[in-house]
Amino acid sequence: MFKKYLVLASKKDKAGMNIITHLLQFKKNPLVNAMADIGFDIGLVEEEIIQTENLDMQKIIKYDFIIFASKHQSEKSKKTLSVHAPGNWRSSQYGGEARKACSSSALFSKFIFQKLNETAKKFSLSEYDITMEATHHGPLINKPCLFIEIGSTESEWSDKRAAFVIAKTISEAVSSFKEDSYKEIAVAIGGPHYCPNFNKIQLSSNIAISHVIANYSAPITEEIIQEAISKTFEEVDFAVLDWKGLGQAEQRDELIKVLDSNYIAWKKTSDIVKED
């Protein structure tokens, strides 16, 4: 499915550089790696990676999948390790283009999210919340990609344990990921930015989620939904809805009309079977 991965970080990003420093220990000998079927390379850029113009597209096009290693910032300063797809459902205030998203692999996103939870638990990083985030910010590139981040203050960005866990997660995800045709593919709609209900589904069900459209992106139009579906690397089976996280009944009704009129199947998060 994916064989050549590129892990990118900005030299201006403390968390990104922290992750890259730890990732170097998992990088195979170049002579050995050249003969391997699957592996990753490391790239650094001078400026922020959320801005498309800061990236070398001629380099990016040579890879099958791009992993952006980055910091995460939030007003609540929560300790987080997070995964999300890049893109903008509304404005392009933070890089990329308005109403455009990058290609996202639901299967790889699920796999690396599960691996991140497993690795954080193994190394007792219990003070961090492991979470998906809704699709937000740039850059906009024409390759499947995702962000994996440390949040949310300078203290966490410099945390060697957190960076080690993410670096090990990346290394193991790249080396062991395989396509699973038995997984159901979904885009997720509704709920808050850190999407707790979708976290449970991604972690403990047969469903793999690509893009997440949080409720703050409302009104959630046909254009937004079709962009999420078209920018999912795999064929989408249905949309999964955080029913209680979709506002008032009128807003839910409008969304269902859009889905039904476009023949897009949907399920509520409460209807999804989760594994113990």
Side-chain angles (χ1 to χ4, degrees):
M1 191 174 184
F2 305 121
K3 291 186 177 181
K4 295 180 67 178
Y5 296 79
L6 176 64
V7 184
L8 272 179
S10 166
K11 292 180 181 179
K12 290 188 173 181
D13 186 329
K14 288 186 177 180
M17 292 304 297
N18 193 8
I19 294 166
I20 294 299
T21 298
H22 285 82
L23 193 59
L24 288 170
Q25 69 183 291
F26 300 112
K27 187 83 172 73
K28 296 178 181 178
N29 182 294
L31 294 177
V32 176
N33 200 40
M35 297 182 288
D37 289 334
I38 297 173
F40 66 87
D41 288 331
I42 293 170
L44 299 176
V45 299
E46 298 294 333
E47 302 296 331
E48 298 295 341
I49 53 178
I50 65 171
Q51 302 294 338
T52 309
E53 59 269 24
N54 295 337
L55 306 180
D56 182 352
M57 292 302 174
Q58 293 304 311
K59 182 174 185 177
I60 283 174
I61 201 170
K62 298 176 183 178
Y63 293 87
D64 300 318
F65 199 98
I66 311 300
I67 299 172
F68 295 101
S70 174
K71 66 184 178 185
H72 171 68
Q73 291 177 280
S74 72
E75 293 179 0
K76 295 183 178 179
S77 301
K78 293 177 64 176
K79 291 177 179 285
T80 59
L81 304 181
S82 59
V83 176
H84 73 85
N88 297 299
W89 307 128
R90 293 296 176 189
S91 74
S92 58
Q93 181 180 1
Y94 299 108
E97 293 183 22
R99 299 179 297 280
K100 296 292 183 181
C102 291
S103 174
S104 170
S105 168
L107 292 175
F108 187 77
S109 296
K110 182 181 182 72
F111 189 79
I112 200 169
F113 184 64
Q114 291 177 325
K115 184 67 68 175
L116 181 58
N117 276 269
E118 174 189 310
T119 308
K121 184 177 181 180
K122 180 178 180 180
F123 290 94
S124 304
L125 211 66
S126 57
E127 68 270 31
Y128 282 80
D129 287 339
I130 316 299
T131 184
M132 296 164 60
E133 294 181 71
T135 298
H136 69 298
H137 73 61
L140 183 65
I141 65 173
N142 59 357
K143 286 289 181 177
C145 58
L146 58 72
F147 271 75
I148 187 163
E149 303 176 340
I150 301 174
S152 300
T153 71
E154 293 222 12
S155 176
E156 287 78 46
W157 304 338
S158 302
D159 186 339
K160 293 181 180 180
R161 291 172 62 239
F164 171 83
V165 164
I166 285 189
K168 188 168 181 61
T169 294
I170 292 171
S171 175
E172 291 186 355
V174 166
S175 64
S176 58
F177 173 67
K178 294 180 181 178
E179 185 176 5
D180 186 347
S181 59
Y182 292 99
K183 292 284 189 293
E184 296 178 289
I185 308 300
V187 295
I189 304 174
H193 183 75
Y194 294 104
C195 36
N197 287 328
F198 299 137
N199 285 339
K200 295 174 185 176
I201 289 171
Q202 193 80 313
L203 190 60
S204 305
S205 79
N206 192 53
I207 295 167
I209 294 171
S210 59
H211 284 288
V212 178
I213 308 168
N215 196 50
Y216 59 72
S217 298
I220 299 171
T221 63
E222 177 183 344
E223 178 188 22
I224 290 174
I225 296 169
Q226 292 291 7
E227 179 70 3
I229 291 173
S230 68
K231 294 299 177 64
T232 298
F233 185 80
E234 301 85 4
E235 184 176 351
V236 173
D237 296 305
F238 55 85
V240 58
L241 311 182
D242 187 335
W243 194 252
K244 292 182 178 179
L246 278 169
Q248 302 299 316
E250 294 80 3
Q251 183 178 330
R252 292 195 293 267
D253 290 343
E254 285 301 314
L255 174 62
I256 297 307
K257 285 181 183 178
V258 171
L259 294 172
D260 288 348
S261 64
N262 285 276
Y263 307 101
I264 300 168
W266 55 274
K267 297 180 181 181
K268 299 178 185 179
T269 53
S270 58
D271 295 333
I272 305 300
V273 176
K274 286 90 170 176
E275 301 165 2
D276 293 332

